[in-house]
Amino acid sequence: MFAKIIIDQDAKALDKVFEYQIPDDMQVAVGERVIVPFGSRNLQGFIVDICDSCSYDEDKVKPILQKIENFSVIKKEMLELMKYMAEKLHLKLASILRLFLPSEMRTDKVKELVVRYVKLAPEFEMPSARAGKQLQIVGFLQENQSQKFADVSNMFGYAALNALVKKGVVLVEENQELRAPAFDVMKKDVKKLTPLQQRAVDSICENKTYLLHGVTGSGKTEVYMNLIERQLERGKTALMLVPEISLTPQVLANFKARFGDNVALIHSGLSAGERFDEWKRIFFGQAKVVVGARSAIFCPLENLGIIIIDEEHEQSYISESNPRYDTHMVAEFRRNYNDCTLVLGSATPSIESYSKAIDGEFQLVEMPVRVNGMEMPKIVVIDMLTEMQQGNNQIFSIPLIYELRNIVEQKKQAMIFINRRGFSSFQRCRQCGYVATCTDCDVSLVYHRFEDRLKCHYCGKRFKALDICPSCGSKDIKQGAVGTERVVEELHKLFPEVRILRMDNDTTSKKNGHREILNEFKNTKPAILVGTQMIAKGHDFEDVLLVGIIDADQSLYQSDFRSIERTFQLITQVSGRAGRSEKQGRVILQTYSPRHYVYRFATNYDYKGFFKKEVNLRKVTNFPPYARIVRILFSHENENIVAQECKLCYNKVKEIKEQYQNEFVYLDVMKAPLNKIKNKFRYQIMMRFKLDKADEIEKKIFESVDEKTKSSVFFEINPNNLS
Ligand code: ADP
Ligand code: ZN
Ligand code: ZN
C-alpha cells in the first residue's frame, strides 16, 4: 500500500503531494501525521490519501518511518477544506494544514500535564507508632481514598509520604490531565426572551445563512445562547466566533455559566498548554460549544449544528498575515459541508453582507430596538473647527467638558474613545478641514513620514506633502492623531480627584491586564475610561451615561474604500456603550468634518439610509460589492529580482485584461505603499474588475503566476489593508 503525503515544510518546491510506501507492519489512516525520509533529512508529513498503487517505480518509493500520533489529527472535513482553500486562495497546502492544529503540536514544546495521585495499597503493614506523620497519612488516605501527591505532601511533609511510597504502603498513579483556562465565576442567568428575541430564535431554524441585524443592546448574545442550546438538545455542536477584543471576561464567564464543561475557549490570552488542551477536548468530542476568535473557525468540532459570527463586520475576520484567508468564506464552507446554520450578527453589518441579505442570498432577521426599550443614546456632533475659531485649542470641546463635569457630580461613569486605526495618517488643514484625496481614486492620501510624501494606496500615485492648504491657503497643517496618554493627562488636569483608567495596547499587554482594568472600572464611581478600539464593543456597564469620541474623522480619511463604512460602524458601536440601563445615554462626537454624510446617518442610527447611500457610491465608483479588487504582492530581498518578476507577471495579467476589456476597471504595477518590510522589497500588481466574470478572470490570474518565482507571492482579494 502507498500513502500520499504533504510534507510539513514551507518551501514552494515541496508544495505538492509525495508518495511513500506503507510498511506491512504499520497501520495508517488518512489524516495521520508521520515521519518520512526526504533527501538526507527526516521530515514530518500528513497523509492525505492511501492507494493500492503508486504512480512511479514501486521499488524506488521510500517507506514511511514512523507515526507521530496514533490517530488522524486532520479530520475528513478539514482535508476537504484544505483542497477548497488551496483552489480558492492559492495557498500552500502545508500552510493550510497548519491552521488546523495548535502550533504547540508541531513544535513539541508543550508537554502533557501529568498529575500524580496517591492511594493506599490494597494490603500493607501499618507504620510503627513512632512514625507519627506516616500514621496520619495512612489515616487520611483511609478516609479520603485517592488524593493528589502534591496536596498530601503539602499537608504532612514530603519525607513521610515518600517513605510510605518506598515501603509500598502508598501507591502512586499518574494521570494525564487537561489544563483549563481560568474564568470569572458567574451565576447561571437564563433570561426570559423578549418577543423580538423569541421571534429571532424561531426564525433562525433552517440550514441557511442568516444575517441578524440587531441594534446595540438588542440582546443578541441571549439569542445566540438560545440557538446554541437548541443544537445541544439535538445532539449537535456549536461554534461561536467573536472578535478577539470582545472576548471579554464577562462574555466568557457568561458562556461558562450557561454551558459549563461543554465550553472550550480559544483566544490569545491562553497559555500554550491551555490552548493545546482545549484543542484536545474539542478534538475528542468532550467540548461541544467552542467560543473563540478568528482562528477557532478551524477547530475540529464534529457534527456542527450552528456557526455564529458575532460582529460579523469586524475586519479582524480577515487574516492579513500569511496564510491570508477570509473567515466568512471558511464558515460558508463548513456550513455547507455540515449542512448546518450560519448566523452573522451585527448592529452594523458590512455593506457586502447586507447586500447579500437584500439580494436574498442571506436571510435577514431584524431586532430594531433595545431589550429594555431604552432609547438609543443621543449623539451630539461638535464642530472642532468652530471650537478652535472660538479660541478653544484643547483636545476636549466645551460641551464635552460640561457633560463630563455632570457625570462626575452624579458619581456616574464616562468613556472617552480615541479613534486610532493603524499607523498611517492623513494630513489636514486646521483652518478649513481640507484633507487631500487622490485625483484618480477619490480616496484619502496617506502621509508617509519617511519620504515626506502623500501616497494613494490604490493606484500608487504620489503627491507632495501639504505645506500650504490648497483650499484656503493656510499653513496650519496638522497630521496624526492624539494618543491615549495625552488624553489621560489632560483629564487629570481637569478632574484631579477622579479615577481615570486607560485601556490600549500598552496597558493590556500583560496577562489579565484587560480584565483588571475592566474590573476596576466596574467598581469605581465616578470614573472615566479612556481607550482605543478596545473599548468600542461588547462591554456592558450600566453606569456609563456618557461617551466622548475624539477625532471621529480619523477613520474617515484612511486610504481605503471601506473607510466611511468603518466610521459609521465605529460610531454606532462606541455609542452603544452608553445608557444601557435605566437612563438614556449621551454621546459627544468631535469632528472637523461635521457635515460629512456619515454623521447625519450615524446620529440618527439610520443604518438603512447609510447603506443605500454607500452602496450607490460603490456602484458608481466600481468598488466591492460591485467589483473585485485583487492584489498580487511579491516580496524578496533583492529589489531587482522582485521588480522583474512582478513586471513579468504584470505582462501576463495585461494579456488577460485584453481578453476582458469590458470587465477591467483598473490594472497597474507598482511598488507597494510600504516598499520594504523586514529587509524584503515589496512590489504589487493591483487590479479591479467587474463581477460578471470575476471568478473566471481570477482563475486565469492565479494560473498566470509563474510557479518558479524566487519572490514570495501572495494573493489578496478585496483586501482590508493596503500597506
Ligand atoms: P447586544 O449584543 O445586542 O448589544 P447584549 O447581548 O449585550 O446586546 O444585551 C444587552 C443587555 O441586555 C445585557 O445586559 C443583557 O444581559 C440584557 N438582556 C438580554 N436579553 C435580555 C432579556 N431577555 N431580558 C432581560 N435582559 C436581557
Ligand atoms: Zn489613486
Ligand atoms: Zn485650508
Side-chain angles (χ1 to χ4, degrees):
M1 296 287 272
F2 301 89
K4 297 200 163 146
I5 288 177
I6 292 169
I7 306 288
D8 191 5
Q9 292 283 311
D10 256 333
K12 218 183 289 174
L14 302 189
D15 186 33
K16 57 179 162 215
V17 176
F18 292 90
E19 289 173 310
Y20 284 88
Q21 186 241 324
I22 303 171
D24 289 338
D25 57 352
M26 193 185 277
Q27 290 283 325
V28 294
V30 170
E32 286 183 351
R33 293 198 306 159
V34 290
I35 295 184
V36 292
F38 197 92
S40 58
R41 291 190 292 166
N42 293 337
L43 299 176
Q44 297 188 359
F46 298 90
I47 300 181
V48 292
D49 204 359
I50 293 177
C51 3
D52 293 331
S53 61
C54 97
S55 53
Y56 49 77
D57 194 350
E58 296 196 358
D59 299 330
K60 290 199 181 126
V61 179
K62 292 185 196 162
I64 294 173
L65 296 177
Q66 71 181 84
K67 309 214 299 182
I68 298 178
E69 290 93 359
N70 56 5
F71 59 91
S72 299
V73 291
I74 307 288
K75 296 184 178 180
K76 185 158 167 284
E77 178 185 0
M78 293 298 152
L79 281 176
E80 294 297 318
L81 177 59
M82 172 195 78
K83 288 179 205 155
Y84 176 77
M85 288 176 75
E87 177 177 333
K88 283 278 177 193
L89 303 170
H90 285 248
L91 300 170
K92 289 194 206 106
L93 298 169
S95 74
I96 302 172
L97 288 173
R98 271 178 221 162
L99 290 168
F100 304 162
L101 299 178
S103 58
E104 292 74 28
M105 221 159 148
R106 299 179 45 251
T107 51
D108 280 346
K109 267 193 221 121
V110 179
K111 292 281 161 282
E112 258 140 20
L113 176 68
V114 175
V115 180
R116 297 204 293 161
Y117 285 82
V118 289
K119 64 174 188 192
L120 290 172
E123 280 171 32
F124 60 89
E125 222 167 89
M126 261 317 209
S128 77
R130 276 179 300 134
K133 284 271 190 252
Q134 295 185 17
L135 281 174
Q136 283 174 16
I137 293 177
V138 170
F140 177 74
L141 289 179
Q142 275 169 336
E143 263 170 45
N144 295 292
Q145 285 148 14
S146 184
Q147 291 293 311
K148 281 188 184 160
F149 187 102
D151 293 346
V152 178
S153 162
N154 273 339
M155 279 188 273
F156 304 100
Y158 176 80
L161 181 57
N162 202 35
L164 289 173
V165 172
K166 278 199 177 139
K167 284 191 278 189
V169 175
V170 165
L171 303 179
V172 180
E173 274 175 356
E174 293 195 335
N175 233 346
Q176 245 189 46
E177 292 192 1
L178 298 177
R179 283 152 284 226
F183 287 96
D184 289 351
V185 181
M186 201 187 244
K187 271 228 309 281
K188 183 166 170 175
D189 173 22
V190 182
K191 299 190 169 66
K192 182 170 168 13
L193 295 183
T194 63
L196 262 186
Q197 285 173 319
Q198 189 62 52
R199 199 187 66 183
V201 171
D202 291 344
S203 49
I204 301 177
C205 57
E206 286 185 76
N207 296 346
K208 293 182 176 166
T209 302
Y210 294 85
L211 180 63
L212 176 60
H213 180 205
V215 296
T216 57
S218 59
K220 293 187 284 297
T221 318
E222 201 61 37
V223 170
Y224 300 149
M225 291 205 261
N226 274 270
L227 291 170
I228 292 172
E229 227 149 41
R230 193 161 75 200
Q231 294 302 330
L232 291 181
E233 281 161 14
R234 298 172 53 196
K236 301 254 182 178
T237 64
L239 169 57
M240 175 159 128
L241 302 183
V242 226
E244 183 76 46
I245 48 172
S246 28
L247 271 174
T248 58
Q250 206 182 357
V251 171
L252 301 181
N254 230 321
F255 266 80
K256 187 75 183 177
R258 186 78 156 246
F259 299 110
D261 288 340
N262 265 328
V263 190
L265 286 181
I266 302 183
H267 62 94
S268 63
L270 300 185
S271 71
E274 285 166 354
R275 198 161 36 234
F276 185 31
D277 288 351
E278 287 292 81
W279 184 87
K280 282 199 290 195
R281 288 207 311 126
I282 301 165
F283 189 93
F284 292 109
Q286 287 160 274
K288 300 206 162 25
V289 180
V290 174
V291 181
R294 179 178 72 211
S295 64
I297 191 65
F298 299 113
C299 73
L301 267 180
E302 277 178 296
N303 201 12
L304 265 172
I306 190 167
I307 304 172
I308 295 164
I309 304 185
D310 187 28
E311 312 281 7
E312 66 91 27
H313 62 278
E314 267 293 299
Q315 52 175 334
S316 64
Y317 285 123
I318 297 183
S319 154
E320 279 168 10
S321 55
N322 302 314
R324 292 157 198 249
Y325 63 86
D326 173 3
T327 311
H328 283 71
M329 184 184 138
V330 180
E332 266 307 339
F333 175 91
R334 297 199 74 176
R335 182 192 73 73
N336 208 3
Y337 187 94
N338 291 281
D339 195 20
C340 71
T341 306
L342 171 60
V343 178
L344 312 174
S346 176
T348 50
S350 69
I351 297 286
E352 278 104 327
S353 294
Y354 202 80
S355 297
K356 287 186 183 168
I358 298 281
D359 294 346
E361 194 178 333
F362 296 166
Q363 316 301 309
L364 185 62
V365 179
E366 296 175 306
M367 297 203 294
V369 292
R370 287 188 153 182
V371 166
N372 51 11
M374 269 319 291
E375 291 217 25
M376 301 303 289
K378 181 164 173 51
I379 305 180
V380 183
V381 176
I382 305 295
D383 179 358
M384 290 308 278
L385 281 173
T386 316
E387 286 274 319
M388 229 161 53
Q389 281 152 8
Q390 290 168 353
N392 177 14
N393 268 312
Q394 302 181 70
I395 300 174
F396 309 117
S397 60
I398 304 298
L400 181 54
I401 296 174
Y402 173 83
E403 294 289 344
L404 279 169
R405 199 156 275 143
N406 260 339
I407 290 289
V408 169
E409 277 163 15
Q410 295 169 42
K411 299 217 177 341
K412 295 287 184 186
Q413 298 180 314
M415 284 186 176
I416 305 280
F417 170 71
I418 295 153
N419 196 359
R420 291 209 85 170
R421 271 273 181 222
F423 301 101
S424 49
S425 61
F426 55 96
Q427 284 191 321
R428 176 174 58 207
C429 168
R430 303 228 318 169
Q431 291 307 314
C432 73
Y434 171 86
V435 173
T437 53
C438 176
T439 47
D440 293 352
C441 307
D442 206 21
V443 293
S444 310
L445 298 170
V446 175
Y447 180 66
H448 286 249
R449 191 185 307 261
F450 186 67
E451 297 143 277
D452 191 31
R453 280 278 183 282
L454 293 165
K455 283 193 201 173
C456 172
H457 281 191
Y458 282 89
C459 73
K461 246 192 181 173
R462 295 145 61 91
F463 300 81
K464 217 162 86 26
L466 296 181
D467 43 23
I468 289 180
C469 170
S471 166
C472 76
S474 156
K475 286 189 176 160
D476 194 3
I477 306 290
K478 175 187 167 231
Q479 51 109 3
V482 287
T484 42
E485 279 169 77
R486 235 328 268 303
V487 170
V488 171
E489 231 171 77
E490 297 293 315
L491 282 173
H492 270 306
K493 285 187 210 152
L494 286 168
F495 304 104
E497 274 96 64
V498 176
R499 182 77 182 108
I500 292 157
L501 296 129
R502 171 159 77 98
M503 190 149 119
D504 54 22
N505 280 328
D506 295 340
T507 57
T508 54
S509 53
K510 71 174 201 287
K511 200 176 174 182
N512 290 332
H514 202 206
R515 183 188 331 202
E516 280 161 23
I517 296 169
L518 290 176
N519 272 341
E520 186 180 349
F521 183 59
K522 189 174 177 183
N523 298 320
T524 316
K525 275 145 218 174
I528 304 173
L529 176 63
V530 177
T532 52
Q533 262 68 5
M534 271 179 211
I535 65 169
K537 53 184 53 97
H539 308 297
D540 193 24
F541 296 107
E542 46 184 49
D543 282 315
V544 173
L545 291 184
L546 174 67
V547 167
I549 306 178
I550 311 282
D551 249 345
D553 334 48
Q554 187 71 16
S555 56
L556 204 48
Y557 297 121
Q558 296 285 310
S559 163
D560 176 347
F561 74 92
R562 293 191 179 99
S563 63
I564 299 172
E565 175 183 0
R566 276 207 192 108
T567 306
F568 182 87
Q569 289 163 345
L570 264 173
I571 295 169
T572 311
Q573 296 290 346
V574 187
S575 305
R577 294 319 105 209
R580 290 174 74 93
S581 63
E582 332 67 86
K583 254 185 113 179
Q584 190 185 11
R586 184 175 270 268
V587 179
I588 305 282
L589 182 154
Q590 301 187 171
T591 169
Y592 289 87
S593 322
R595 272 163 295 279
H596 196 290
Y597 66 83
V598 71
Y599 298 125
R600 186 167 34 119
F601 290 115
T603 50
N604 291 323
Y605 296 93
D606 182 5
Y607 176 84
K608 286 180 188 169
F610 173 74
F611 171 82
K612 263 194 208 132
K613 169 99 186 169
E614 189 63 21
V615 92
N616 273 331
L617 200 69
R618 302 266 183 98
K619 198 174 200 167
V620 178
T621 52
N622 279 309
F623 272 101
Y626 296 100
R628 192 170 297 177
I629 301 174
V630 174
R631 168 162 88 155
I632 314 177
L633 188 65
F634 287 70
S635 80
H636 194 270
E637 289 92 1
N638 182 321
E639 184 159 16
N640 286 331
I641 291 179
V642 64
Q644 206 174 18
E645 289 183 342
C646 188
K647 188 73 208 268
L648 268 175
C649 178
Y650 169 69
N651 288 338
K652 287 196 209 151
V653 178
K654 224 161 60 179
E655 283 169 25
I656 298 171
K657 182 187 166 194
E658 265 144 38
Q659 291 170 40
Y660 294 93
Q661 279 297 355
N662 291 333
E663 306 297 315
F664 270 78
V665 181
Y666 174 82
L667 169 68
D668 210 349
V669 59
M670 67 197 85
K671 290 180 178 178
L674 291 172
N675 186 216
K676 197 173 166 189
I677 294 182
K678 293 184 186 149
N679 273 323
K680 285 192 174 165
F681 290 91
R682 304 162 88 235
Y683 278 68
Q684 68 186 25
I685 303 168
M686 278 285 282
M687 66 198 86
R688 214 156 83 220
F689 40 83
K690 294 183 197 154
L691 286 188
D692 333 340
K693 298 185 181 152
D695 287 339
E696 189 180 317
I697 297 175
E698 196 180 291
K699 189 148 180 277
K700 292 207 166 155
I701 286 162
F702 282 151
E703 285 162 4
S704 74
V705 178
D706 191 343
E707 303 239 307
K708 292 181 200 68
T709 52
K710 295 197 181 81
S711 317
S712 314
V713 185
F714 304 109
F715 291 91
E716 283 177 312
I717 294 149
N718 297 340
N720 255 323
N721 177 7
L722 292 177
S723 52

